[in-house]
Amino acid sequence: MTALRPLSGRSRSLRCSSEKMEGTGSWDVLEWTKLDSASWSGSYSNLDCLLESERLIFEACGVILINTDEAGTLLLSNFRILFLSEGTRKLVPLGTIPFVAIEKFNKLAPKVQSNKYHNNENAPTRLLQVTGKDMRIVVYGFRPGTKQRHTVVDTLLRCNKPERVWDLYAFTCGPSQFGNTNPKERLLNEYFRLLGKSSQRASMNMIEDGSFTLSNDLWRITNLNSNYDLCQSYPFALMVPKSISDEELLQTSTFRARCRLPVISWCHPGSGAVIARSSQPLVGLMMNMRSNSDEKLVASFCTQLAGHKGARRKLYIVDARPRKNALANGAKGGGSESSSNYLQSEIVFLGIDNIHAMRESFSRLRDYLDMHGTTSSDGTSSFLRHGGWTWGGGNLSSMSASVSVLGDSGWLSHIQSILAGVAWIAARVAMESASVLVHCSDGWDRTTQLVSLACLLLDPYYRTFSGFQALVEKDWLAFGHPFSDRVGMPNVSESGNFELPIQSSSARSFPSSPVRQSPGSAAAQSSSSSYGLNNYSPIFLQWLDCISQLMRMYPSAFEFSPTFLVDFIDCLLSCRFGNFLCNSEKERQQCGISETCGCIWAYLADLRSSSGTSHVHCNPFYDPSRYDGPLLPPAAALAPTLWPQFHLRWACPVEPNVTETEDQCRAMTVKYSEMKKEKEEAERKVDELSSAMESLNEELLNERDISRAARESAKRATKERAVISRAVQSLGCKVKFTRNGDCTVEVEDGPQKCSHSIPQKQSEDNTTDVSESISSVTEQNVCEAVCPLRTREGTCRWPDAGCARIGNQFLGLKTNFEAFDNLCVYDSYFTAE
């Protein structure tokens, strides 16, 4: 096999003749025989679509994407296959897929020759089919006579299933800007919320010293599994009944498969009802094995009903398996409970199939969509298949056959079974205040689906972004869903650096024999390794499909949108982040995932932060006030359909446009937000104008008061002047007032005349006070001030003149208008001349 060579000046790559390239999808315009060592080398190393620490290792020009009949360039990086359109050099989503998201790949020979390449010697004869875990089937066509397909296959063999978990891109990229806080802290915070202790916040110091063992009246948190000695696939902290001691928990763990004893996953804050989870009991073939400690632990979930003195709540033990499967497991040491051994209990079987049935169903659904979609992996539309229109009429047998194939896949039937079981569990808890214990065989696949979906229906918090994260981290990650096995990734046991004993191949087959085990047995508790075996199964994807069905029934109950779920599963399948690596919390701790890998939650939150509630991940119809309680869907509503955003995005890329309504609503939300901001700005300006008008109104009132005071002062001055004039004239003087307000007093005695001007004085309020002006003058001898007969020595040259006598009388006159008012001198006393 040809070893891969990094792009360099010496690397040989096929060159496309750009002068002749006028369109896409044409093989005739490609010059396949010409090689140029420098034409394409390194030309894509600076692509905007490359992620951090992603580097290209190979490129092949002139590859055909058979699904869409499009020519382009196929690039291989250390993370994924990239396909760039030849015409636009833009990334083609259908042909771009991460290595670990590939379920299988194989070489193909062309079966059907399209009309386009009929009798064309340049037609593609070397095909590579890539089947993805995300419902797509992609076929790449390579030109014969080249080693492009050989090199791509060699790369896929090495990168699709790396030998060690540390070879995954998540470790190459590192935490970057999407750092991951310790998931143990988040788990404890969720426990605190369930116990009603939300005021408490978990910390690393609390985890290290074991001080997180809080409790309420009924339940408590135990640190018995802090070193994973009790159960290696359980979290370090468990929520259990307060009445059960740690010693009894140890005894109970030996009676459950893989030591997964019954523990609390969720508790109702009002009624006290709980949803608990476990694995199957080890009752044996004759169903006669019992455990007093297990029966006591399960009975402790039947606490007293609130408001019913002495009455205890009922307990439902829900076995997710078909009854026959549960009985068959008895031959391997497992089995199911007997209601006669457990107080106030009733056993219910839901009949949900195992992981192998789900895998086969998913594969058949994928083939159905590829066969009957608008685009297919063989490049033929379903409208032209079988010589007629599949859906357009004229070929009813083909239409009936395709519908039959969809039904035969069984996928929608499995979804309906899960939803029916979840709705039943939620109704028992919400309507009867009953407690429910859920288990299957090992308690990490069907059990996790049922428990987490029931919590989603009962608790509105889990229908928000933060609650959804808490739910996934609690019930899926902390409680040991084997993601490495189910997604098909390497796990810690196969990396060889940790001393984790591996079971033999017979013991590792699923379901494994649940023999009686003692706590701390690593060989007995380790999850079945699927790497190299066929334990891959889309269990988590199926759970997300169930959520999409609930979102269709309750479009206003979820804060997140179906697009968020699609992007979330894409990130998970790509293994770009470390949250879902390994099979358990213990293995992720051993690998140091939280310190060395990026966090998917931080990445998704960063995407939303740029657009706020208008982001495509946010549900524009979300109304938390409308759905602030449990969701209890009726049985008639549990009729699932294909999930358009996920199932149809590759085979029927036009059909997922059913989200156009959401897009329009989201655009209206953005417009509404902008108009709201404009309204707030207008209201702010109105408030400013109102304040300015109030200020101007106050100033106007002040001016009016000042004007009123000025008019009153003018009237007063007029009266003053008239009164003073009459008083002075009565003494034989004439008083004249000029237009500018000056006052002139004339004293006449025979032929002699003297005059004196009295200037006005401004009072403190800027009004003219005539009385003060005259008073200041009358304090002096008028003759002394203005008489020309006055000598330098201060004597009068005419002492017998009348002016001197009049002046002596004038000195005692005080022209104060207030004084005249006090004397009650009427204006009519002074008659007008």
Side-chain angles (χ1 to χ4, degrees):
M1 300 181 70
T2 304
L4 288 180
R5 293 174 293 177
L7 294 177
S8 66
R10 297 188 302 271
S11 65
R12 302 176 61 194
S13 58
L14 294 175
R15 181 175 66 88
C16 293
S17 179
S18 59
E19 294 82 359
K20 297 182 180 181
M21 182 67 73
E22 297 178 354
T24 60
S26 177
W27 288 80
D28 296 331
V29 299
L30 300 178
E31 295 186 16
W32 293 97
T33 58
K34 294 185 178 181
L35 299 176
D36 190 340
S37 61
S39 176
W40 292 95
S41 297
S43 59
Y44 297 98
S45 58
N46 295 322
L47 285 175
D48 294 336
C49 60
L50 293 180
L51 304 174
E52 184 178 1
S53 301
E54 184 179 10
R55 56 183 178 83
L56 298 179
I57 57 178
F58 177 77
E59 67 178 73
C61 175
V63 179
I64 297 296
L65 186 61
I66 300 298
N67 302 62
T68 57
D69 196 21
E70 183 176 6
T73 302
L74 187 144
L75 304 174
L76 298 180
S77 72
N78 59 335
F79 173 56
R80 54 183 169 168
I81 299 175
L82 301 96
F83 189 84
L84 303 181
S85 174
E86 200 66 62
T88 62
R89 290 208 176 187
K90 291 183 178 179
L91 208 64
V92 179
L94 176 61
T96 301
I97 181 171
F99 292 136
V100 294
I102 298 173
E103 180 180 340
K104 58 184 178 180
F105 57 91
N106 55 288
K107 300 177 182 179
L108 293 179
K111 297 180 181 179
V112 179
Q113 186 76 13
S114 67
N115 294 330
K116 186 168 187 178
Y117 305 127
H118 185 64
N119 295 327
N120 183 358
E121 61 180 5
N122 289 323
T125 59
R126 294 179 177 271
L127 304 181
L128 177 64
Q129 183 185 66
V130 174
T131 303
K133 302 171 184 175
D134 56 357
M135 300 297 296
R136 78 175 106 179
I137 300 177
V138 187
V139 176
Y140 302 99
F142 300 91
R143 174 66 177 169
T146 67
K147 294 185 178 181
Q148 290 178 331
R149 186 177 69 167
H150 177 81
T151 306
V152 172
V153 170
D154 183 41
T155 304
L156 293 179
L157 288 173
R158 294 190 301 106
C159 299
N160 175 238
K161 295 181 178 180
E163 296 180 359
R164 304 182 308 164
V165 66
W166 298 278
D167 294 332
L168 293 171
Y169 173 77
F171 289 91
T172 303
C173 179
S176 184
Q177 71 269 30
F178 307 117
N180 187 10
T181 58
N182 196 311
K184 292 184 176 181
E185 296 181 18
R186 297 195 292 268
L187 177 63
L188 286 180
N189 287 331
E190 177 60 15
Y191 280 167
F192 295 162
R193 187 188 72 88
L194 293 174
L195 291 177
K197 307 287 185 179
S198 298
S199 58
Q200 298 284 340
R201 302 302 298 176
S203 64
M204 284 306 300
N205 292 334
M206 181 182 293
I207 296 174
E208 292 173 356
D209 59 24
S211 59
F212 55 83
T213 55
L214 304 182
S215 64
N216 59 13
D217 295 338
L218 298 176
W219 324 113
R220 69 182 178 94
I221 302 174
T222 178
N223 60 358
L224 183 62
N225 199 42
S226 58
N227 294 323
Y228 307 102
D229 295 331
L230 177 68
C231 178
Q232 294 191 27
S233 59
Y234 264 8
F236 77 105
L238 301 172
M239 193 158 61
V240 297
K242 192 175 182 179
S243 59
I244 302 299
S245 64
D246 287 348
E247 290 75 12
E248 291 171 318
L249 294 177
L250 282 170
Q251 296 175 9
T252 303
S253 64
T254 61
F255 187 69
R256 294 282 170 169
R258 303 187 185 276
C259 298
R260 295 175 65 90
L261 70 160
V263 292
I264 298 171
S265 177
W266 182 83
C267 54
H268 194 285
S271 65
V274 300
I275 296 179
R277 59 180 299 166
S278 70
S279 60
Q280 64 180 340
L282 303 180
V283 295
L285 179 61
M286 303 303 296
M287 299 288 183
N288 57 356
M289 302 297 294
R290 298 180 60 178
S291 170
N292 293 332
S293 59
D294 185 82
E295 294 173 9
K296 180 179 179 181
L297 173 60
V298 173
S300 63
F301 297 141
C302 302
T303 56
Q304 291 185 356
L305 288 169
H308 298 75
K309 188 175 182 180
R312 301 179 69 87
R313 71 181 74 250
K314 190 172 183 177
L315 172 68
Y316 291 96
I317 301 178
V318 176
D319 194 326
R321 302 166 295 180
R323 183 187 295 270
K324 61 179 182 179
N325 291 14
L327 296 176
N329 270 271
K332 302 178 182 180
S336 188
E337 295 87 351
S338 173
S339 58
S340 61
N341 297 334
Y342 292 87
L343 179 67
Q344 296 283 102
S345 67
E346 180 179 339
I347 314 299
V348 179
F349 292 90
L350 298 184
I352 302 175
D353 288 327
N354 59 22
I355 62 169
H356 306 292
M358 301 304 177
R359 181 180 63 250
E360 296 301 323
S361 176
F362 182 78
S363 179
R364 288 193 296 268
L365 176 63
R366 181 173 53 204
D367 293 339
Y368 162 79
L369 294 174
D370 180 62
M371 177 66 67
H372 299 282
T374 56
T375 61
S376 176
S377 59
D378 62 5
T380 304
S381 172
S382 62
F383 295 107
L384 304 177
R385 198 181 303 278
H386 307 299
W389 291 69
T390 302
W391 300 111
N395 197 342
L396 295 179
S397 60
S398 298
M399 183 173 67
S400 301
S402 64
V403 174
S404 177
V405 171
L406 175 61
D408 292 342
S409 70
W411 182 260
L412 296 181
S413 298
H414 293 316
I415 295 293
Q416 187 175 26
S417 298
I418 296 173
L419 289 176
V422 168
W424 186 89
I425 293 173
R428 300 289 77 74
V429 175
M431 301 177 66
E432 298 181 14
S433 296
S435 292
V436 180
L437 171 63
V438 184
H439 71 75
C440 52
S441 296
D442 291 319
W444 53 37
D445 290 312
R446 289 165 285 188
T447 299
T448 303
Q449 288 178 327
L450 294 170
V451 169
S452 55
L453 281 174
C455 293
L456 195 75
L457 290 177
L458 292 169
D459 196 336
Y461 171 68
Y462 292 132
R463 302 193 284 269
T464 64
F465 282 111
S466 57
F468 180 80
Q469 175 183 348
L471 180 65
V472 172
E473 291 192 315
K474 172 174 67 73
D475 281 313
W476 288 89
L477 292 170
F479 277 97
H481 175 70
F483 277 100
S484 288
D485 292 351
R486 300 297 177 259
V487 178
M489 298 179 294
N491 56 40
V492 175
S493 299
E494 290 154 353
S495 297
N497 284 14
F498 298 108
E499 297 180 356
L500 295 179
I502 305 177
Q503 294 174 313
S504 63
S505 58
S506 60
R508 288 161 57 184
S509 60
F510 189 91
S512 59
S513 177
V515 295
R516 188 172 303 276
Q517 304 149 1
S518 61
S521 174
Q525 297 184 35
S526 62
S527 62
S528 58
S529 173
S530 69
Y531 199 58
L533 300 178
N534 202 7
N535 277 338
Y536 161 77
S537 187
I539 299 300
F540 188 74
L541 191 153
Q542 190 178 48
W543 179 72
L544 293 178
D545 196 344
C546 291
I547 295 179
S548 74
Q549 306 296 334
L550 295 175
M551 296 175 71
R552 179 178 54 84
M553 288 185 277
Y554 301 97
S556 301
F558 295 82
E559 186 180 11
F560 43 86
S561 66
T563 305
F564 167 77
L565 298 181
V566 174
D567 290 346
F568 175 64
I569 191 63
D570 284 345
C571 291
L572 187 153
L573 294 176
S574 70
C575 294
R576 179 183 172 186
F577 304 98
N579 303 73
F580 296 89
L581 300 181
C582 306
N583 284 329
S584 65
E585 180 183 275
K586 177 183 179 180
E587 292 184 3
R588 284 185 287 274
Q589 177 176 298
Q590 289 176 326
C591 292
I593 297 293
S594 60
E595 296 84 10
T596 57
C597 298
C599 178
I600 187 175
W601 309 110
Y603 169 73
L604 295 174
D606 182 71
L607 292 180
R608 296 192 302 271
S609 63
S610 59
S611 303
T613 56
S614 62
H615 195 270
V616 293
H617 288 176
C618 299
N619 180 12
F621 307 109
Y622 179 54
D623 186 4
S625 60
R626 182 180 177 184
Y627 295 102
D628 57 352
L631 303 178
L632 302 177
L638 301 177
T641 62
L642 290 177
W643 180 9
Q645 292 86 350
F646 183 79
H647 292 145
L648 304 180
R649 60 172 170 166
W650 305 122
C652 307
V654 179
E655 297 305 320
N657 289 336
V658 292
T659 59
E660 288 181 358
T661 303
E662 292 185 9
D663 296 337
Q664 294 175 1
C665 182
R666 194 171 288 109
M668 293 176 62
T669 303
V670 174
K671 186 64 177 178
Y672 171 76
S673 178
E674 294 175 353
M675 294 178 64
K676 187 176 180 181
K677 291 180 180 178
E678 294 177 356
K679 177 187 175 184
E680 293 175 353
E681 181 66 18
E683 290 177 348
R684 185 184 63 81
K685 291 182 178 179
V686 168
D687 293 339
E688 292 178 354
L689 290 175
S690 299
S691 300
M693 291 181 63
E694 291 178 0
S695 178
L696 290 174
N697 190 30
E698 292 179 359
E699 293 179 2
L700 182 61
L701 292 176
N702 293 334
E703 291 293 336
R704 187 171 63 182
D705 294 339
I706 294 174
S707 177
R708 185 185 299 111
R711 289 196 300 269
E712 293 176 355
S713 179
K715 292 179 181 179
R716 174 182 171 188
T718 301
K719 289 183 178 182
E720 232 181 286
R721 185 180 67 178
V723 172
I724 291 173
S725 297
R726 294 179 189 129
V728 173
Q729 290 174 0
S730 67
L731 299 177
C733 300
K734 293 182 178 180
V735 181
K736 295 181 179 180
F737 290 90
T738 62
R739 291 183 177 180
N740 60 6
D742 294 336
C743 177
T744 303
V745 180
E746 295 181 354
V747 182
E748 184 176 357
D749 187 12
Q752 302 292 330
K753 179 189 293 185
C754 66
S755 63
H756 180 69
S757 298
I758 304 175
Q760 287 186 347
K761 289 187 177 181
Q762 296 294 327
S763 64
E764 294 180 357
D765 56 358
N766 297 326
T767 59
T768 302
D769 196 340
V770 181
S771 62
E772 292 185 5
S773 301
I774 297 180
S775 298
S776 63
V777 175
T778 56
E779 291 179 358
Q780 304 176 4
N781 190 316
V782 177
C783 296
E784 294 178 356
V786 301
C787 184
L789 300 177
R790 179 70 175 174
T791 62
R792 294 181 179 179
E793 291 80 6
T795 59
C796 182
R797 296 176 182 176
W798 193 5
D800 296 330
C803 63
R805 293 192 298 275
I806 294 174
N808 292 333
Q809 297 175 8
F810 190 71
L811 289 174
L813 180 62
K814 301 295 183 181
T815 56
N816 190 305
F817 180 70
E818 298 296 338
F820 285 105
D821 286 344
N822 293 332
L823 292 174
C824 299
V825 178
Y826 294 100
D827 294 346
S828 60
Y829 178 80
F830 302 99
T831 58
E833 295 180 356

